[in-house]
Amino acid sequence: MPALHKPSSQERLLLYTLAALQFTLIMDFMIIMPLGSHLIRAFAITPAGFGFLIAAYGIAAGVIGFLGGFFIDRFNRRNALLVLYAGFTLSSLACAFAPTYQFLLIARIAAGAFGGICGSVLTAMIGDAVPPERRGSATGTVMVAVPLCSVIGLPAGLVMASWWGWHSTFFFLSALCLVMLVGALKILPLVPSHQTGAHPMRQMWNIVAHRIHLRAFLLRASLVFSGSCVMPFMAPSMVYNVGLNEHTQIPMLYMLGGILTFFTIPWIGRLSDRFDKVNVLICVAAVGIPVLLIMTRLGPGPLTITYTVTTLIFICMSGRFTPIMALITNAVEPKYRGGFMSVNSSVQFTVGSLGNIVAGMLIVMGDDGRLHGYPTAGWISCGAFAATILFAAWLRKAAPYAARNHTTQSAAASAL
């Protein structure tokens, strides 16, 4: 079934709405990371305990995402997204009221259960509503939510945490989710489901056993594992190892990274439409891997160097997603897209949780008040980063049309 061609104004409105929803999903997932020093201190937990707090979201998202592969294509995308997002909003509110570490852990599990599959439906809507020749740019538009979160959401949340405690950050987020939910009710169009008539078990087998899908799963796994080994502990390392002030300099770090990423993600999206997506990924990795090794070894030093390195990390880590997600979305047939994205989300969060746990086991708080083991996590992250390129090339070999620029991609996609 071909993508639904919408008038450009309607397509832009849809993408902006999806970007707004993605903003809150990303903020909920990311805000735990820069709040690391606050939560470690508030609950008197170890870095491993903090790692499990992050992993709880991913484990829940992984389990529910896999189950969603059985049925998500049987529902209208709009209705499924709205119901899941409403549950996500309530989960964020529960985080705001969490009085103990255990309560917050349960609330994060609920947030992951709703938020993970919600992101899958959102990504599937892009593939359903946007033609293949514009999916790189469309993905870049929606992924602008990541830098906007860094520029606006995370600094605002961190300032609130400094002034009124970490609970206030989740109160702000849940209120924002409610506003987004009301807007989505009015704006999101009906995007039909892709019923195949197959039994759910048969549908799931078709999803997980497909040779293109298997390669895409490995690609997404390596992509996520690379980031999950280092990004959750970046803010704590900047506080304990580099000596940045968590009230002023950490918010500035995220703001600077977000501002530059705001411009680079759409630019990378346009490059992904114009050039081979794997080659675009290689260019991002050529910068990202060496900078990653530097970032995990940073100590006290000039603030300019610290901000430059962390900003480049934001650009490269976020920039990987645009060509990869466009490559994966183009490679999957529409009739499997919703279920595939749900299972793909399961892979993402499960592997991400594994990366969080591995990093939590490697990184320990020393008697000197510094975090040790971060450079080792950096080496593991770089290995996964390199594997991402290999898996992307492997997927391109099975589905060469998915990586091409728009001049050749449209003809190949219409032949599916």
Side-chain angles (χ1 to χ4, degrees):
M1 178 179 175
L4 300 176
H5 290 265
K6 293 179 176 293
S8 59
S9 59
Q10 293 182 20
E11 186 176 297
R12 286 196 299 270
L13 181 60
L14 170 63
L15 293 176
Y16 295 153
T17 303
L18 294 179
L21 298 178
Q22 183 82 309
F23 175 89
T24 55
L25 294 172
I26 294 295
M27 182 174 176
D28 179 81
F29 178 70
M30 289 180 60
I31 193 63
I32 285 288
M33 302 177 196
L35 285 178
S37 56
H38 294 268
L39 296 173
I40 289 172
R41 183 171 57 252
F43 294 121
I45 56 176
T46 64
F50 175 60
F52 277 112
L53 188 61
I54 299 173
Y57 184 107
I59 291 171
V63 172
I64 300 301
F66 179 78
L67 295 177
F70 287 94
F71 59 82
I72 200 65
D73 278 320
R74 298 175 178 270
F75 296 96
N76 178 277
R77 303 279 194 234
R78 177 184 184 275
N79 295 340
L81 183 57
L82 291 174
V83 170
L84 292 167
Y85 192 78
F88 168 75
T89 301
L90 292 175
S91 301
S92 295
L93 186 61
C95 292
F97 283 108
T100 64
Y101 173 80
Q102 291 75 16
F103 192 106
L104 181 60
L105 191 65
I106 294 171
R108 295 307 296 165
I109 291 173
F114 286 106
I117 194 169
C118 191
S120 302
V121 178
L122 189 152
T123 304
M125 286 189 74
I126 298 174
D128 292 336
V130 180
E133 63 268 20
R134 293 203 299 274
R135 283 184 191 148
S137 297
T139 303
T141 298
V142 175
M143 288 304 295
V144 163
V146 176
L148 281 178
C149 183
S150 297
V151 173
I152 301 173
L154 296 187
L158 290 173
V159 169
M160 290 178 187
S162 299
W163 289 354
W164 301 301
W166 65 267
H167 295 274
S168 63
T169 301
F170 286 100
F171 278 116
F172 166 73
L173 177 59
S174 56
L176 187 60
C177 287
L178 183 59
V179 173
M180 298 300 182
L181 179 61
V182 173
L185 277 167
K186 297 180 177 180
I187 295 173
L188 285 182
L190 289 173
V191 179
S193 63
H194 293 277
Q195 278 277 21
T196 63
H199 187 276
M201 292 297 295
R202 181 63 183 177
Q203 175 79 353
M204 175 58 78
W205 174 255
N206 291 337
I207 290 171
V208 300
H210 198 293
R211 68 187 185 96
I212 289 178
H213 298 176
L214 289 173
R215 298 183 188 200
F217 292 145
L218 288 171
L219 172 58
R220 188 66 180 268
S222 61
L223 169 72
V224 173
F225 189 82
S226 175
S228 64
C229 286
V230 293
M231 296 308 289
F233 290 93
M234 185 178 74
S237 75
M238 291 298 126
V239 173
Y240 295 116
N241 292 1
V242 181
L244 297 191
N245 185 294
E246 66 182 5
H247 302 300
T248 58
Q249 293 173 329
I250 293 296
M252 180 60 68
L253 180 151
Y254 279 90
M255 184 176 295
L256 288 173
I259 290 172
L260 269 296
T261 307
F262 179 82
F263 294 102
T264 57
I265 282 185
W267 177 62
I268 293 173
R270 290 191 293 271
L271 290 178
S272 299
D273 283 336
R274 185 175 179 183
F275 300 104
D276 185 289
K277 294 169 180 57
V278 178
N279 292 339
V280 174
L281 174 63
I282 291 172
C283 292
V284 174
V287 178
I289 289 177
V291 173
L292 184 57
L293 291 174
I294 295 171
M295 190 271 289
T296 53
R297 288 161 173 75
L298 279 179
L303 197 58
T304 303
I305 294 178
T306 300
Y307 283 158
T308 299
V309 170
T310 54
T311 297
L312 287 173
I313 284 295
F314 277 115
I315 290 172
C316 294
M317 286 299 191
S318 299
R320 301 174 307 159
F321 278 86
T322 300
I324 288 177
M325 289 311 299
L327 174 67
I328 291 174
T329 303
N330 288 344
V332 179
E333 294 180 62
K335 65 180 180 180
Y336 296 128
R337 189 172 286 135
F340 169 84
M341 289 301 175
S342 186
V343 177
N344 198 37
S345 175
S346 174
V347 171
Q348 170 191 343
F349 285 109
T350 301
V351 173
S353 299
L354 177 62
N356 298 151
I357 293 171
V358 168
M361 294 173 64
L362 291 172
I363 301 170
V364 296
M365 183 72 74
D367 295 334
D368 56 358
R370 292 169 55 85
L371 292 179
H372 296 274
Y374 201 37
T376 303
W379 278 112
I380 295 174
S381 176
C382 288
F385 205 152
T388 300
I389 300 173
L390 298 178
F391 288 132
W394 197 34
L395 176 58
R396 178 179 61 183
K397 184 177 180 180
Y401 56 86
R404 296 173 186 156
N405 63 56
H406 70 273
T407 58
T408 56
Q409 184 177 318
S410 297
S414 64
L416 288 177

